[in-house]
Amino acid sequence: WLKAPPFPVAPAACHRLPVLLPGRSLWKTMGKVHGSLARAGKVKNQTPKVAKAEKKKVLTGRAKKRFVYNRRFVSVVKGGPKRGPNSNMK
């Protein structure tokens, strides 16, 4: 049921085409899953559990628009290099 593709195949892509050998199924010739399922979740289970910290309530609606406007246009420092919104430099 595998036919030649109607377009020319580059030589570099030939190794990706499945090869049907006598007595073997199509899936045996393709790649394997990385790692066994016996080790699934190993890193998550050995990581220490840290309780979530309390956070400030997230602004919504008009209050958020007001906060963003003030941050972008009102409290802008003139002079010096332009900094991104996630910059920690003082």
Side-chain angles (χ1 to χ4, degrees), residues 46-57:
Q46 69 186 9
T47 305
K49 179 70 176 164
V50 178
K52 292 194 173 184
E54 290 189 25
K55 296 181 183 176
K56 183 182 167 189
K57 185 183 76 149

